[in-house]
Amino acid sequence: MSTADATLGDLTSRQLHNLCRVVGMDRTDPLRLLGEVLGAARDRPLAQPPLWPSDVADDATPIEFSVQVDDGGGRHLRILAETLPAAPGPAANLHAARDLVTALAERYDLALDRLRAVEDLFSPEEPRGRFSWWFSFIFDADGRPRFKIYFNPDVHGADHAPKVVQEAFTRLGLDGAHPTVVDYALRREADRLTFFALDLDNSPQSRVKLYVSQHDARIDDVERAASAVPGIDRYQVGDFCRTLAPGVERFPGRPLVSSYSFVEGDREKPSNYSIYLPLRDYVPDDSVARERVRRHLRDHRIDPVMLDEVIGALTDRDLAARAGLLAHVSLRLSPDQTGTTIYASSEAYGGTAPEN
């Protein structure tokens, strides 16, 4: 098949195949799930524009890859995706996402009790906002998947998001979670609810997660957000930001994002905090991004060779040409473990556009 005839499925399958080799895992389930979640976008030629202006990636690619690395060296491959029908639109996209949940539940015996408890909150007849439901697939060392669903708090409109999220927490028995998030991460007018997410597995560690975009934040704002989790060193968040964006004390571009994870036994305080830094907005190009991420990995005693393997699995382009391949990086903090996740764009439709 010529490059001109290549489809989105062709490119992303090849990239995923390469990433599976980097992580050292079986590729059977990852490739199958990739094809299913791409839906109607899978067979669309790359020579044509994107089927839908997905917000998963800067160039409307409905897929983003990431590799999570624990400080102990363990690796996990992840896919974030928006599934699309042949005739996409807000209501049709939501319907396709719900159909995919049904199909996956039958095959993988997903735990749907919590999803059923809140799905009506995130499933209006006329969805608003950038998306309705997204999917995350997290693969273990053997390639077995775990599933997470991201909901859009703005699906009824941004003004309704706080009430929607508060009600979702209440239905899930987490009445004290919303006040905690308000106290630590929603203190400023520029702080915005971004994602509400659920793990779909039967485990005491199955998470309810909330993500907050902290626009125009300073480092002490996200250190304050991190302090909601007992037993972690919030100043690691500042060190992380200064390593990846040296000299930046206020983040005026794409926002820093704080997330909290609540698991079994949590009521008010979360068990985990993560900071997500949109690296592409704070570097001149990906060659600089690469060096900064390598520095962070070395600081956490993670072999930086892994980063070059991930980059090579996705592209052979000149990293100095532009920023955007290394879209963002996150640091996960809990009392007993830390980890880093590197999010990389497929760049199927050209990647992040350069600034004028």
Side-chain angles (χ1 to χ4, degrees), residues 245-288:
V248 179
E249 289 296 322
R250 182 178 63 82
F251 291 79
R254 289 181 178 86
L256 299 174
V257 175
S258 292
S259 81
Y260 299 107
S261 294
F262 297 86
V263 299
E264 185 176 297
D266 294 336
R267 289 296 178 266
E268 298 179 0
K269 296 288 189 177
S271 296
N272 168 286
Y273 170 83
S274 293
I275 174 73
Y276 302 78
L277 192 151
L279 188 57
R280 60 205 184 279
D281 270 27
Y282 301 99
V283 294
D285 56 60
D286 278 310
S287 67
V288 174

Side-chain angles (χ1 to χ4, degrees), residues 37-59:
V37 76
L38 282 174
R42 179 186 60 193
D43 297 324
R44 188 173 180 83
L46 290 173
Q48 297 179 10
L51 181 63
W52 175 256
S54 177
D55 204 46
V56 170
D58 296 340
D59 62 356

Side-chain angles (χ1 to χ4, degrees), residues 30-42 62-63 79-85 100 104 134-137:
L31 287 171
R32 179 179 182 180
L33 285 168
L34 174 67
E36 289 177 301
V37 76
L38 282 174
R42 179 186 60 193
I63 290 285
I79 299 171
L80 176 67
E82 180 173 21
T83 194
L84 298 174
L100 182 58
L104 295 176
W134 286 351
F135 293 86
S136 177
F137 307 137

